[in-house]
Amino acid sequence: MARLSPQGAVTAHSHSQDGAELRAGSPSSASSVCAPPPGHLKPYLFSPRMSQMNLSWLGLGQLAASPWLLLLLAGATWLLAHILAWSYSLYDICSRLRCFPQPPKRNWLWGHVGLIAPTEQGLRVLTQLVATYPQGFKVSFGPTLPLVVLCHPDMVRSVTSASAAIAPKDKVFYSFLKPWLGDGLLLSAGDKWSSHRHMLTPAFHFNILKPYVKIFNGSVNVMHAKWKRLVSEGRTHLDMFEHISLMTLDSLQKCVFSFDSNCQEKSSEYIAAILDLSALVAKRHQQILVHTDFLYYLTPDGQRFRRACRLVHNFTDAVIQERRRTLPSQGVDDFLQAKAKNKTLDFIDVLLLTKDKDGKQLSDEDIRAEADTFMFEGHDTTASGLSWVLYNLAKHPEYQERCRQEVQELLRDREPQEIEWDDLAQLPFLTMCIKESLRLHPPVTVISRCCTQDTVLPDGRVIPKGVICLISIFGTHHNPSVWPDPEVYNPFRFDPENMKERSPLAFIPFSAGPRPNGSTWCQRAGPIWTCLNTSVS
């Protein structure tokens, strides 16, 4: 028998071999413990007395500690620990970002959502913010997502010069394109991006790009003929962007797929789907409540997005399968000879024939992702750039007339449709006009990166690990501390003499950085028209 003495000591006295007895030294004792015989250990461990747990410390009193209750308590503890850790991390990040100036919030909950809308008014707001905060500023996208906006070449360099591992593309703003574009160059990262980028290099060799000028000329001639017909029918206004978008899509379909849909003259389901997808992605960015895929695909827009994706994918898959059936029957050499007679090797051909250093070819899924990426990246940015060039030349007839004279002197007795690749580098003033238009109206206004480690800026401020950086191309191009009178259209900014002292990151219409992208291909290809058709941010 065990006895609890008034001093708290425990003494044991054996009564019998069959059991043990516990006597409390005080009538107010609150608990007792039995020591069972060795042979009765298992029944004792699962006795009803052990299923009682004192949960008074939780305010729950005496409750039955069932396995489900224990599991619930463990889950709640785990969730609470993660919420506390996340809250502390967010507090720490926000504290470290206090060194960045912040414009007034539009809403106490949503922060700056909608402050810089993708509209003309939104860009005016951005211009004012850049004039007020020329180095950059902080905004909050909802209550839990702080962002740093960089709009000065010195600040931008810290992020764009970092490797892809340190400043990868941000998944929040690019993920909406994933169901459409897959793991193409725009969305892939790491080893896959490097491998595919190396495999795609032959697609941008001069000998492949040069014949495309003939395709561009043909598509532009169709557009001009349509304009003449519409004007003769009494039309006094034309939506330039709409017509030029169809022209660029027409050109891309021929260059990527060797497919002529005649989309400038008649409707095309594929072209309509491309335009629809582009509009839906832009719209979703501004609707924070449907950023979650589950909610988005329950909406009418989400269902339209899925239908358009299926249509685009089916078109690309059909072209790939048809080309694969042709390739084995002809053989690679015969196939290339047949292509050489037409003097064009399209993008799908290059993707089908390319191999990595181990001799591995791209899968059909990879080919589709790259083809869909270039159809998306090529048509909208090109159409935007060309439309603004025409707008700015129309507003400045003196520059327009000088460009016209430059082209006429180059062609002399030749017809305009006979312009060739080598001619494009012989138009310096027109190139200056195009670059100044791209400065004022960059086709892509912002790109995003997510820092995977602390990034130190030149002035000593630090962008904490995990924070999304928005590199404002539009803001950099309109920064008054970089470009005097930034709202004035002045092609002579790009005169070689005026560019000597300027940072190369002051003009980044196709992004920048150590990873080869649109800007690098532009430098290799030279003429600005090639840039407009090969940019990947």
Side-chain angles (χ1 to χ4, degrees), residues 136-292:
F137 51 94
K138 176 185 68 173
V139 294
S140 58
F141 200 75
T144 61
L145 185 59
L147 308 172
V148 173
V149 181
L150 303 178
C151 51
H152 192 281
D154 295 341
M155 303 295 118
V156 168
R157 181 181 292 107
S158 301
V159 177
T160 58
S161 63
S163 68
I166 295 175
K169 297 169 185 175
D170 164 55
K171 294 181 180 179
V172 173
F173 291 94
Y174 284 96
S175 61
F176 301 154
L177 293 165
K178 190 84 170 181
W180 173 16
L181 304 182
D183 276 330
L185 277 183
L186 180 64
L187 302 182
S188 60
D191 293 339
K192 185 170 186 178
W193 185 93
S194 299
S195 174
H196 283 205
R197 178 63 188 87
H198 179 74
M199 294 171 73
L200 288 177
T201 299
F204 301 97
H205 191 277
F206 296 140
N207 292 334
I208 292 178
L209 294 177
K210 286 180 180 180
Y212 290 170
V213 176
K214 184 178 180 180
I215 294 175
F216 301 156
N217 289 338
S219 297
V220 170
N221 290 338
V222 172
M223 182 176 67
H224 284 169
K226 184 170 64 172
W227 287 355
K228 291 178 181 178
R229 185 180 70 250
L230 291 173
V231 170
S232 67
E233 294 172 355
R235 292 281 293 274
T236 57
H237 295 84
L238 295 175
D239 185 337
M240 301 299 293
F241 182 73
E242 176 185 341
H243 289 276
I244 294 177
S245 292
L246 290 175
M247 184 272 292
T248 58
L249 285 165
D250 188 18
S251 299
L252 280 169
Q253 274 196 302
K254 294 170 183 174
C255 295
V256 174
F257 301 114
S258 292
F259 183 81
D260 185 3
S261 65
N262 196 26
C263 63
Q264 295 192 71
E265 296 291 351
K266 64 179 184 180
S267 61
S268 163
E269 282 189 336
Y270 174 79
I271 298 302
I274 293 284
L275 295 172
D276 206 20
L277 287 169
S278 301
L280 288 170
V281 169
K283 181 179 178 181
R284 187 181 179 189
H285 272 298
Q286 303 303 313
Q287 298 176 324
I288 192 171
L289 295 178
V290 293
H291 280 195
T292 304

Side-chain angles (χ1 to χ4, degrees), residues 4-22:
L4 182 65
S5 68
Q7 292 78 18
V10 178
T11 57
H13 300 279
S14 175
H15 258 287
S16 68
Q17 296 180 351
D18 296 330
E21 181 182 358
L22 180 69

Side-chain angles (χ1 to χ4, degrees), residues 238-372:
L238 295 175
D239 185 337
M240 301 299 293
F241 182 73
E242 176 185 341
H243 289 276
I244 294 177
S245 292
L246 290 175
M247 184 272 292
T248 58
L249 285 165
D250 188 18
S251 299
L252 280 169
Q253 274 196 302
K254 294 170 183 174
C255 295
V256 174
F257 301 114
S258 292
F259 183 81
D260 185 3
S261 65
N262 196 26
C263 63
Q264 295 192 71
E265 296 291 351
K266 64 179 184 180
S267 61
S268 163
E269 282 189 336
Y270 174 79
I271 298 302
I274 293 284
L275 295 172
D276 206 20
L277 287 169
S278 301
L280 288 170
V281 169
K283 181 179 178 181
R284 187 181 179 189
H285 272 298
Q286 303 303 313
Q287 298 176 324
I288 192 171
L289 295 178
V290 293
H291 280 195
T292 304
D293 285 345
F294 174 76
L295 294 177
Y296 182 64
Y297 290 122
L298 293 177
T299 66
D301 281 351
Q303 294 167 14
R304 280 176 56 200
F305 184 85
R306 273 185 164 164
R307 288 195 298 270
C309 274
R310 283 197 297 269
L311 194 153
V312 169
H313 290 166
N314 289 341
F315 176 87
T316 308
D317 288 340
V319 173
I320 294 170
Q321 293 304 318
E322 178 60 30
R323 204 69 60 83
R324 280 205 184 277
R325 285 193 292 270
T326 305
L327 196 58
S329 62
Q330 284 186 300
V332 174
D333 293 336
D334 294 338
F335 178 80
L336 291 175
Q337 288 179 4
K339 284 288 181 179
K341 293 180 181 178
N342 298 326
K343 297 184 179 180
T344 58
L345 190 68
D346 65 34
F347 192 55
I348 294 292
D349 295 333
V350 175
L351 296 178
L352 285 168
L353 296 173
T354 191
K355 297 179 181 179
D356 64 14
K357 59 183 179 181
D358 299 322
K360 183 180 178 181
Q361 293 182 315
L362 292 170
S363 67
D364 287 356
E365 185 178 356
D366 289 333
I367 294 175
R368 183 183 75 188
E370 301 300 352
D372 289 343

